[in-house]
Amino acid sequence: MSVGVLCIHGFSGGPYEVEPFTTYLRTHTNWLIEEPTLSGHGEELQMRGFTAKHWLMDAELAFRALAKKVDEVIVVGFSMGGIIALYLAKRYKVKKLVLLSAAAKYVSPKQLVKDFKMLATEAYHRNLSNNELFLRYRHKFNHVPLSATIEFMKLVRMVEPYYKDIKIPVYIVQGKLDGIVPYHTARFLFDQLTSNEKTLYLSDTGKHHICYGEDCSEWFSNVLSFLKSS
């Protein structure tokens, strides 16, 4: 039985956001793993003019193409990609779901304030140009139009009614220090989904980019065991 894994990145991101996990899967399985780049996304952001419909269609086309090559498809979604993964699970035959920092709710002001305080401290000590977090945020502030952010919010609202219809096995991973998605979002999703088989992993040290967390080797292996179980 051949297995395919479709990995969907987050809003204003790219496949690099899930790369540590996809690398792990490639190392430990012979599964076919696809990581499409949504319209306007990737290393060079060109988001103006693209809408939620474009991103959902990108994911659907990638899913259909993968489903033609394998017997079973697993969908992994990070942040907004987690919401798109739920959309696919409602419309297509998905074997299992993995939701990473899924953006059912977004922006934890408390953690953002902490992150920006850290940036302010670094700026004071003239270290800002070396701070990866600052460089990421600055790039996004400069390249993400408000219209795209509104489309992201539309997408989340559009998929929310589907949560109760999701019955397939699901594994949810969420960082408690996530500054974009409040960590209680994971519990909300866990309660909303009607799957009989569902697992919630809360990382004490995890931030939004959960695939780069200190404890990722632990949950990577847990998720793989979940995906391999019949």
Side-chain angles (χ1 to χ4, degrees), residues 44-59:
E44 294 294 323
L45 296 178
Q46 301 285 342
M47 300 187 72
R48 197 171 300 283
F50 290 110
T51 67
K53 285 183 179 174
H54 288 112
W55 304 329
L56 292 172
M57 183 54 73
D58 290 338

Side-chain angles (χ1 to χ4, degrees), residues 76-91:
V76 177
F78 167 74
S79 196
M80 181 179 81
I83 305 306
I84 295 174
L86 290 163
Y87 170 85
L88 292 174
K90 163 77 174 171
R91 296 174 66 90

Side-chain angles (χ1 to χ4, degrees), residues 100-180:
L100 309 174
S101 309
K105 300 183 185 301
Y106 35 83
V107 185
S108 161
K110 219 187 284 182
Q111 185 61 38
L112 271 184
V113 167
K114 274 188 195 170
D115 286 348
F116 280 111
K117 274 185 182 165
M118 181 186 82
L119 297 183
T121 307
E122 295 222 355
Y124 180 76
H125 294 296
R126 299 178 183 278
N127 280 333
L128 208 48
S129 60
N130 298 321
N131 185 290
E132 188 189 346
L133 179 70
F134 172 75
L135 295 173
R136 281 260 186 243
Y137 274 115
R138 185 176 67 177
H139 181 72
K140 289 191 178 188
F141 284 143
N142 291 340
H143 292 86
V144 178
L146 179 61
S147 58
T149 305
I150 291 167
E151 288 298 320
F152 158 60
M153 293 159 76
K154 267 191 206 168
L155 191 153
V156 173
R157 282 198 304 273
M158 190 169 85
V159 177
E160 187 166 6
Y162 297 170
Y163 299 165
K164 65 184 184 309
D165 300 326
I166 305 300
K167 297 179 175 5
I168 61 172
V170 59
Y171 200 109
I172 300 170
V173 181
Q174 177 68 46
K176 289 187 178 180
L177 303 183
D178 192 329
I180 307 296

Side-chain angles (χ1 to χ4, degrees), residues 62-71 73:
F63 182 92
R64 289 180 206 162
L66 180 57
K68 285 178 182 169
K69 301 175 191 171
V70 295
D71 300 312
V73 179

